[in-house]
Amino acid sequence: MRKWITLLMTLLVGCGSYANANVGQVSFEAGYRRDTIDWRTRFPSDDPFLKSSTRFKDLDIFQIGVHGRSTIGNNFYVRGSAYWGWILDGDFHHNGSLHLDPTCHDRDFHLGLSDDFRSTIDDQYVFGVGAAVDYPLYFCDCTLVVAPVIGYAVDEQNVRVNNRTLNCGRFDSYGDDNVGGCCRHTFISRWYGPFVGFDFDWRPYNSCFNVWAELEYHWGSFRGKTSDIDDNRDIDGFDRHNRHSSKATAWVFGAGFDYDLCNNWTIGLSVKFQDWSANRHHRACLDDSISYFGSFCDHRYRENNKWRSYAINLTFGRDF
């Protein structure tokens, strides 16, 4: 058994020196990305009479970024990435509704209230950073690499909506022509936490290109924040000013290829897909300041948050 372990370790060290004569690589990327973000709230969660939905659909983003990889010792590798993007265009849709049975309450009120708002988004930004450590395993005479990886990543989207009539889930001003007195609303979504996965890299013998892929499973937290910039008021009430969930999960997949130019320069193409979700169930109490219908306490409050993204980029890099 000891001989087999010694032979395996010798092969790993030998292949690592053979297949990776360069100690690192840095590549820059620029391209197109599209995001969709959903915030949904239900109260109570089992049979809701209060509902709110905020959706940022088809956010067109121009994105630039940098990726780096370097050796640690003989076989361990560390990789890191960072990006910044400008939101060029997109659609915003907010909908809220309230429906109660009038036979269950002693106040006069409408059977159903709702607000619906749509707008076009053309401002704000996105950014993110990530880092990971992997241990490469070599196959097919060291031309194929599969590497278990563990890391940590943070992604954030900042979106601004400009309109004075946006209600953002508050029904205490229903019927008022000046609903939502501010004119600039910002929405911030942050997704962060550790991840595990696999890196894949294949470079045939005597070829000028290599194909790579990354598959990651993320778990961690989500934070969402809404604010009114001009009058500095909180958007309170049913659609809460701050959102938080410690049960965020995601699958992230990236793939691409690089073609070698002279003097260790490379060009390539890459794609990336992300699918995030975060849920929260907790008890909440709505009082008279939220609605006209009295106090509602000791009910389950449900929040569902999702983020889906895909990107395609041109890359330009150099091996060292």
Side-chain angles (χ1 to χ4, degrees), residues 95 134 158 167 178 181 196 205 211 216 229 255 267 274 283:
N95 176 269
D134 57 51
N158 289 258
N167 192 3
N178 297 317
V196 294
Y205 277 125
V211 179
E216 301 168 353
I229 296 177
I267 60 172
Q274 302 192 68
R283 294 192 178 278

Side-chain angles (χ1 to χ4, degrees), residues 241-274:
H241 180 69
N242 292 310
R243 291 167 170 254
H244 175 257
S245 173
S246 59
K247 298 181 179 180
T249 59
W251 285 100
V252 178
F253 174 76
F257 72 88
D258 299 316
Y259 184 82
D260 293 340
L261 303 175
C262 58
N263 298 323
N264 294 325
W265 292 99
T266 66
I267 60 172
L269 184 71
S270 67
V271 295
K272 187 173 184 179
F273 304 90
Q274 302 192 68

Side-chain angles (χ1 to χ4, degrees), residues 113 166 303:
L113 299 178
L166 178 58
E303 295 178 355

